[in-house]
Amino acid sequence: MQNIIYAALSAGLESLLEYLSAHVLTCLIPAFFIAGAISALLKKDIILRYFGADAPKWLCYPVAAISGTVLAVCSCTILPMFAGIERKGAGIGPATAFLFSGPAINLMAIVLTARVLGLDIGIARAIAAVTMAVLIGLIMSSVFPGERRPSRNPGSKDGSVSRTTLLFIGVLIAILLVATSSAVSMTPKIAILSALILVASYIMWRHYTPVERRAFLGETWWLAKRIFPLLLAGTFVVGVIGYFLPMDLIRMIMGSNSFISCLTASIIGAVLYMPTLLEVPIVGTLFGYSSGVTAPGPALALLLAGPSLSLPNMIVIARVIGPRKAGVYVTLVVLISTLIGMIYGALVS
């Protein structure tokens, strides 16, 4: 018994150390700074124009759903940015559409899915992810109509962003994209990142007042201390859970396109942590889609739920928007992923 407990705790610690080494410097730190800039430097009217509860649906949901194509982020890296726009006054519908789309519609992941797992499932993933982001946002907005926040006219002229702030946030996003890119080797990556960090530092100290700088750093630190400890605890628990997962049984269950198979895949994807882009080899190799062990329906369900959710992600979401709304959001991701997986499985079969 002691050996089992020791092995499980070791698996949790290994998962935590792997997460710290692979994601803190390259993903989370840039994401926290982006979130701090959104929260401290962007005018509230900007967020309300594109993500506010009163923003036109034809505008806010496409913007939220497609935003993920720009951000190469995982289910944990998106959290600081989600917390930033939510803190700034975004409506629950557009905010959760953005929360799902960030990890789910990653352009690099879609391309990798098509190249490694097949063009058909790559296209299905892209279409399904955009559709899901909009559906989840609309349903969340309908379920929680009382969460609408009073805002100014979304078309107000006050909702303009200064070129300096736009440039500063653009540089921070560039830092995140370069840091997470696998296409750039280490030496040029360090050189590019160093140059971008110098540019960001220059913009901050040259164009912002001491009050604005303190607000930016204060918001960044507030988000980090609120989110980061929960991510660490959740990642450790995921490692422990992974130790006890009966993979052979799971592969056997996921061998058909049935409701149980797709639901099992969605639940596993919702609990396990899948780093950006690694969901493709995980589905292809670990769960056996490439060898025909896992059916197409569960494979797509896993590709939809896996990158957008994880146990650490769910813990933080509950902290940011409350357990009730977080529970509805997680349920929607799992059920819609299951339904889309079943439809896709029936079509390709």
Side-chain angles (χ1 to χ4, degrees), residues 28 54 56 58 60 64 81 162 165 216 230 268 295 308 320 323 342 344:
L28 278 179
D54 295 330
W58 62 266
C60 63
M81 288 177 267
S162 71
T165 299
F216 164 61
L230 297 176
I268 291 172
S308 56
V320 173
M342 292 173 62
Y344 175 71

Side-chain angles (χ1 to χ4, degrees), residues 26-271:
T26 58
C27 296
L28 278 179
I29 290 179
F32 280 125
F33 278 109
I34 294 170
I38 290 171
S39 187
L41 303 178
L42 277 185
K43 293 180 181 179
K44 188 173 183 178
D45 286 338
I46 292 293
I47 300 299
L48 295 177
R49 170 181 286 184
Y50 295 105
F51 292 97
D54 295 330
K57 288 182 173 59
W58 62 266
L59 174 66
C60 63
Y61 287 104
V63 169
I66 298 173
S67 60
T69 59
V70 180
L71 301 170
V73 296
C74 62
S75 61
C76 292
T77 309
I78 195 66
L79 292 172
M81 288 177 267
F82 166 69
I85 65 170
E86 198 277 338
R87 183 171 165 82
K88 200 71 174 179
I92 188 65
T96 49
F98 172 77
L99 174 64
F100 177 82
S101 73
I105 314 174
N106 178 348
L107 184 59
M108 291 189 294
I110 298 296
V111 172
L112 187 65
T113 301
R115 290 186 61 185
V116 175
L117 303 182
L119 181 62
D120 53 348
I121 195 170
I123 294 173
R125 181 183 180 184
I127 295 172
V130 174
T131 304
M132 275 187 69
V134 175
L135 278 177
I136 288 170
L138 290 172
I139 295 173
M140 287 291 291
S141 181
S142 299
V143 172
F144 300 102
E147 301 299 324
R148 293 169 62 86
R149 305 182 183 188
S151 65
R152 298 180 187 177
N153 185 343
S156 169
K157 293 182 179 179
D158 292 336
S160 59
V161 58
S162 71
R163 292 182 181 180
T164 301
T165 299
L166 191 62
L167 176 61
F168 182 64
I169 294 178
V171 172
L172 293 179
I173 292 175
I175 291 173
L176 174 64
L177 295 177
V178 172
T180 55
S181 175
S182 58
V184 183
S185 58
M186 184 57 66
T187 301
K189 178 181 287 189
I190 292 174
I192 295 170
L193 287 175
S194 299
L196 289 172
I197 291 171
L198 287 175
V199 171
S201 301
Y202 173 79
I203 294 171
M204 173 54 60
W205 290 101
R206 176 68 177 82
H207 295 282
Y208 289 102
T209 66
V211 173
E212 290 172 323
R213 290 197 292 268
R214 283 195 298 270
F216 164 61
L217 295 175
E219 286 291 333
T220 301
W221 171 242
W222 185 87
L223 289 166
K225 70 181 181 180
R226 183 179 174 87
I227 293 174
F228 189 59
L230 297 176
L231 291 179
L232 296 183
T235 303
F236 177 80
V237 173
V238 166
V240 174
I241 293 173
Y243 175 79
F244 291 104
L245 279 180
M247 290 306 301
D248 291 337
L249 177 61
I250 289 171
R251 291 192 191 97
M252 184 175 67
I253 293 173
M254 291 167 56
S256 71
N257 295 307
S258 66
F259 171 77
I260 294 298
S261 297
C262 294
L263 179 63
T264 301
S266 296
I267 293 173
I268 291 172
V271 174

